[in-house]
Amino acid sequence: MLLAAGGVFLADRLSKFLVVEVMDLGHLLRIEVLPPFLTFVMAWNRGINFGIGAGPAWLLVAVALAISAGLVWWVRHRAGTPGVLPMAWGAGIVIGGALGNAWDRVQYGAVADFLNMSCCGIDNPYAFNIADVAIFAGAGLIALKA
C-alpha cells in the first residue's frame, strides 16, 4: 500500500512540476502535445471533481487526509484476509492520488489539472491530472476486489 501511494504521489508531483513549472504551462495556458489527442491545458480546480463542490482549500485537504487515513485503517484491519493485496494496492493508489491533489491545494490553493484528451471529433472540455487517474483506477480496483 505504501509503495503504491508513494509511487503515485511522486509521479503526480513530478508531472505537475515539469508541466506547470518547467514547461511554464501556468503562464502559457496551452501546449499542443499530440493534437488533437493530447493537449496540456492549464485548469485550476477549486472543487472536488470538475470544479463541483468548491470550498475552502483547507477543508478539501482535510477530507483527503481523512479518506486516506480511513483507507489505511480499512486495509490494516483486513490484513491476512484473502484478496487483501489487490485492495491494498488499490487503496495505496487512491491515497497517492488524494495526497498529490491535497499537496496542490496547499501549494497553489487549487488542484493543477492539465491533461486534456480528445478523440474522434469530440472536443473534451475538461482537464485532469495523474492523481485523478490514480484515484479513479484505485477505486475501481478496490470495487472489483472488495
Side-chain angles (χ1 to χ4, degrees):
M1 180 172 56
L2 293 177
L3 281 174
V8 167
F9 179 80
L10 289 175
D12 181 64
R13 297 304 320 142
L14 180 61
S15 69
K16 290 172 181 171
F17 173 74
L18 291 174
V19 174
V20 177
E21 307 293 335
V22 174
M23 296 173 74
D24 201 24
L25 186 64
H27 291 101
L28 297 175
L29 302 180
R30 183 179 189 89
I31 299 172
E32 299 287 335
V33 180
L34 292 170
F37 305 110
L38 176 61
T39 305
F40 292 163
V41 178
M42 191 71 249
W44 296 106
N45 184 354
R46 299 192 188 302
I48 296 169
N49 197 1
F50 302 118
I52 298 168
W58 64 266
L59 178 62
L60 297 176
V61 169
V63 168
L65 293 174
I67 289 170
S68 297
L71 285 169
V72 169
W73 179 87
W74 178 66
V75 168
R76 290 194 65 201
H77 282 81
R78 293 194 54 123
T81 61
V84 73
L85 188 58
M87 287 187 293
W89 276 99
I93 292 168
V94 170
I95 291 166
L99 295 179
N101 281 344
W103 185 286
D104 283 5
R105 293 184 195 287
V106 171
Q107 181 177 0
Y108 302 119
V111 173
D113 288 334
F114 61 89
L115 295 169
N116 176 268
M117 301 184 81
S118 297
C119 179
C120 314
I122 299 171
D123 187 25
N124 177 15
Y126 299 105
F128 55 95
N129 60 44
I130 289 175
D132 297 337
V133 173
I135 292 167
F136 182 81
L141 184 57
I142 291 168
L144 287 173
K145 294 299 179 180

